[in-house]
Amino acid sequence: MQLIDGKETARVIRAELAGRAAAFAEAHGRRIGLAVLLIGDDPASQVYVRNKIKACEETGIRSLAHYLPAATTQAQAEELVRSLAEDDKVDGILIQLPLPAHLDAKKLLALIPTEKDVDGFSPENVGRLALREDCTAACTPLGIMELLRRYHIPTAGKRAVVVGRSNIVGKPMALLLLNADATVTICHSRTQNLKDECLRADILIAAVGKPKFITADMVKEGAVVIDVGMDRDEEGKLCGDVDFASVREKASFLTPVPGGVGPMTIAMLLYNTCAAAERRTAE
Ligand code: GUN
């Protein structure tokens, strides 16, 4: 079994992007700007946002962090997103999800102009992805495609099984794999005979959010297994959706948690931000 090192791959990508960010600053007399909105006090979101901001700074991208209290009203949040949408120095806007329950996430996300949608969540970007047109794709699935590419793992004609159908990971993942000519199955909580579906996978993507959910008996010998989970085991220790200890005996390639998919999500956010800035200023 070969371990897929997302941390090292992300480091290489970030170094590549630092060059692009420096070239942008030289050409335009300002740094690429990413606005990051965190509303409320979800502990996981706080960690993600902190890591995103740190990665921006290390890459030479200016991060404009906006921390709003949980009691922020819809009108206040909308006003901020509108002002960022109009701000010419802001190349990308990221609203960290989930939002507090009283806020309408769909309405807020709709205020982000497609050209600044570095998360790839806008209906237009998702539609373009489905149509296999140029688009910004969601960072986590895009990072997984990049890992497959850099580890020379072919997708064309392969059976890919995506477990999880979220708008953030499962659905865009399935579309990216389909666009890369895989034969794709999406499984979810209502899927019958999940084990049999998973056993058919040449490439198995676990994005369910349940600790150690994918066990060795669900994995075909030699399969490539990608773990998107960020869970806690019974002792409170960080683990993934895949039972690493048993699955490692069967998989040909496997991503660890931490150090697998997670660092790639951030690297691809920086990638999408650089691409958005270059696209906007080229027009
Ligand atoms: N919440 C969990 N993952 C993500 C992500 O990739 N982007 C945003 N904005 N929120 C998230």
Side-chain angles (χ1 to χ4, degrees), residues 124-135:
E124 188 171 340
N125 270 321
V126 177
R128 286 185 193 167
L129 178 61
L131 294 168
R132 209 185 199 176
E133 292 173 6
D134 272 350
C135 68

Side-chain angles (χ1 to χ4, degrees), residues 45 48 52 94-98 119 121 139-140 168 265:
S45 290
Y48 295 150
K52 287 174 184 180
L94 179 147
I95 302 175
Q96 187 66 31
L97 302 177
D119 258 329
F121 292 167
C139 304
T140 299
I168 292 180
T265 295

Side-chain angles (χ1 to χ4, degrees), residues 6-249:
K7 198 172 166 191
E8 173 59 18
T9 308
R11 198 190 56 74
V12 171
I13 293 171
R14 287 217 303 267
E16 293 166 7
L17 294 173
R20 274 168 73 176
F24 183 95
E26 179 79 24
H28 299 279
R30 69 166 180 88
R31 280 187 292 164
I32 294 171
L34 174 66
V36 180
L37 247 79
L38 175 61
I39 309 179
D41 34 39
D42 180 69
S45 290
Q46 287 174 343
V47 176
Y48 295 150
V49 164
R50 201 186 315 130
N51 289 339
K52 287 174 184 180
I53 287 168
K54 188 164 157 259
C56 277
E57 297 305 327
E58 286 169 5
T59 312
I61 293 173
R62 180 172 170 234
S63 63
L64 306 106
H66 295 268
Y67 299 104
L68 301 183
T72 300
T73 65
Q74 180 76 20
Q76 287 168 331
E78 285 183 12
E79 192 183 309
L80 176 57
V81 178
R82 277 203 186 87
S83 75
L84 295 170
E86 283 170 14
D87 189 339
D88 209 38
K89 294 185 295 302
V90 172
D91 299 290
I93 303 173
L94 179 147
I95 302 175
Q96 187 66 31
L97 302 177
L99 290 174
H102 69 279
L103 294 176
D104 185 339
K106 203 168 132 187
K107 226 167 139 193
L108 272 182
L109 290 172
L111 295 173
I112 300 176
T114 290
E115 67 269 22
K116 294 190 180 187
D117 170 34
V118 288
D119 258 329
F121 292 167
S122 77
E124 188 171 340
N125 270 321
V126 177
R128 286 185 193 167
L129 178 61
L131 294 168
R132 209 185 199 176
E133 292 173 6
D134 272 350
C135 68
T136 299
C139 304
T140 299
L142 195 60
I144 292 168
M145 295 307 289
E146 195 62 22
L147 283 176
L148 296 176
R149 199 172 70 78
R150 292 192 185 227
Y151 276 82
H152 309 291
I153 296 167
T155 51
K158 300 295 176 191
R159 276 191 186 278
V161 174
V162 180
V163 190
R165 57 173 157 181
S166 73
N167 291 336
I168 292 180
V169 182
K171 259 187 261 180
M173 185 78 253
L175 287 169
L176 283 167
L177 286 164
L178 180 64
N179 290 349
D181 300 320
T183 301
V184 182
T185 302
I186 306 178
C187 298
H188 47 79
S189 52
R190 303 291 291 271
T191 295
Q192 294 185 3
N193 303 323
L194 177 67
K195 180 180 159 183
D196 290 341
E197 296 291 347
C198 291
L199 273 170
R200 275 197 280 273
D202 300 310
I203 301 171
L204 180 62
I205 315 275
V208 273
K210 290 184 185 160
K212 303 181 186 179
F213 183 75
I214 302 290
T215 44
D217 59 321
M218 302 164 82
V219 175
K220 182 167 80 173
E221 192 74 43
V224 175
V225 181
I226 306 290
D227 190 347
V228 186
M230 284 279 255
D231 315 311
R232 299 269 163 196
D233 66 12
E234 41 313 322
E235 287 152 24
K237 208 172 136 237
L238 184 66
C239 71
D241 290 350
V242 174
D243 181 29
F244 188 89
S246 68
V247 170
R248 71 175 304 160
E249 305 297 330

